[in-house]
Amino acid sequence: MDEYSGRLLAERYRLPRPPSDEYELVESRAYDTASGQEVLVRQVPLPEVVEAEFLGGGGYGHDRAGRATRRPADPAVRRAVEAALAASRIPDHPRLDQVFDVFVEGDGLWIVSELVAARPLAALLAERPLSPHRAAELAADLLTALRAVHAHGWVHRNITPRTVLVCDDGRAVLTGLAAGAAEEALCGYDPLPAPPSVLPRGHVDGPADGPADDVPESGVPGLPPGYRGADRGPAAAGHYGGAVRRAAGRLDGR
């Protein structure tokens, strides 16, 4: 993997050498030297008031040189790491990306996830508008992803054209849950799901492929009955395409 000759994160994830005009890394491919696989790393910037302190004991230490830690000393950062880790524990789902690791290094919280063969929806929209039929397919896939998120008590709240990935095979994958949870924690909010005893009435706390309030058995909101996304085949999408973000946002903002 000669292309990965840049910075080494957490003594494990090797980044590509950045171009000379690179200012601040936000998201990048990386090579996992432990597993031999390519992954995606995202950085959530930390507030400037967070100080780097050396930590003894297990895991990585975070000293004044900015090396990695999974046990940050600052309470706000610790809550952010815990929130991102909690979000990563949602069971694997074909419409959600998988998070492998969360750690703090330097002035950033880093999230390591699977590298999906896909392009952000923003890149596709920059080229041309979506047809109503294609928008309906992607919206149905996003609603399926949100159904899985809600089934485990979470609300995503980070749906943008950049967190929606359109795969090479046509399906949509939703990302950004762990990063959004970390950002909310850093802002002082508690993004963790409520305990089962206080979940809203009608909430389904069970497998993501079971019935749920969010997606009725007769179909998904705003789409014809029986429509189940690009992988199940369209059911006369017609003028029900709508806007992908608007359809997904209505469901996730409950």
Side-chain angles (χ1 to χ4, degrees), residues 152-163:
H152 292 86
W154 287 86
V155 179
H156 195 287
R157 289 195 288 260
N158 189 24
I159 302 174
T160 73
R162 295 188 178 278
T163 60

Side-chain angles (χ1 to χ4, degrees), residues 177-236:
L177 177 61
E183 290 170 349
E184 287 190 47
L186 287 171
C187 291
Y189 299 101
D190 182 7
L192 299 181
S197 60
V198 296
L199 287 174
R201 183 180 178 182
H203 172 82
V204 177
D205 188 12
D209 56 355
D213 273 356
D214 301 327
V215 185
E217 286 303 306
S218 59
V220 295
L223 296 178
Y227 190 90
R228 290 294 176 181
D231 59 331
R232 305 272 183 103

Side-chain angles (χ1 to χ4, degrees), residues 3-164:
E3 61 179 301
Y4 294 102
S5 58
R7 178 180 175 186
L8 183 66
L9 292 174
E11 302 175 9
R12 174 170 178 172
Y13 307 105
R14 178 69 70 179
L15 300 176
R17 184 174 296 279
S20 57
D21 59 350
E22 183 74 19
Y23 178 68
E24 182 179 3
L25 175 67
V26 176
E27 180 177 297
S28 174
R29 292 171 175 248
Y31 178 70
D32 184 354
T33 59
S35 68
Q37 302 295 319
E38 289 183 288
V39 294
L40 185 71
V41 295
R42 294 183 179 93
Q43 179 181 197
V44 177
L46 297 177
E48 294 182 1
V49 297
V50 175
E51 295 183 356
E53 297 181 1
F54 179 77
L55 293 177
Y60 288 98
H62 186 185
D63 62 15
R64 297 190 182 277
R67 288 190 286 267
T69 178
R70 289 171 178 79
R71 298 173 53 198
D74 186 274
V77 179
R78 183 172 63 251
R79 288 192 297 269
V81 171
E82 291 171 351
L85 286 172
S88 73
R89 297 189 186 105
I90 291 181
D92 293 348
H93 189 280
R95 295 296 177 270
L96 298 171
D97 69 334
Q98 185 178 3
V99 174
F100 301 133
D101 197 2
V102 179
F103 59 90
V104 174
E105 180 165 319
D107 57 356
L109 184 155
W110 298 84
I111 298 173
V112 182
S113 60
E114 66 175 314
L115 183 62
V116 182
R119 298 177 65 196
L121 178 60
L124 298 180
L125 294 176
E127 295 176 352
R128 61 182 181 277
L130 295 177
S131 69
H133 181 95
R134 185 65 179 126
E137 290 183 324
L138 297 181
D141 284 349
L142 291 183
L143 295 176
T144 300
L146 289 174
R147 182 187 185 191
V149 171
H150 293 169
H152 292 86
W154 287 86
V155 179
H156 195 287
R157 289 195 288 260
N158 189 24
I159 302 174
T160 73
R162 295 188 178 278
T163 60
V164 175

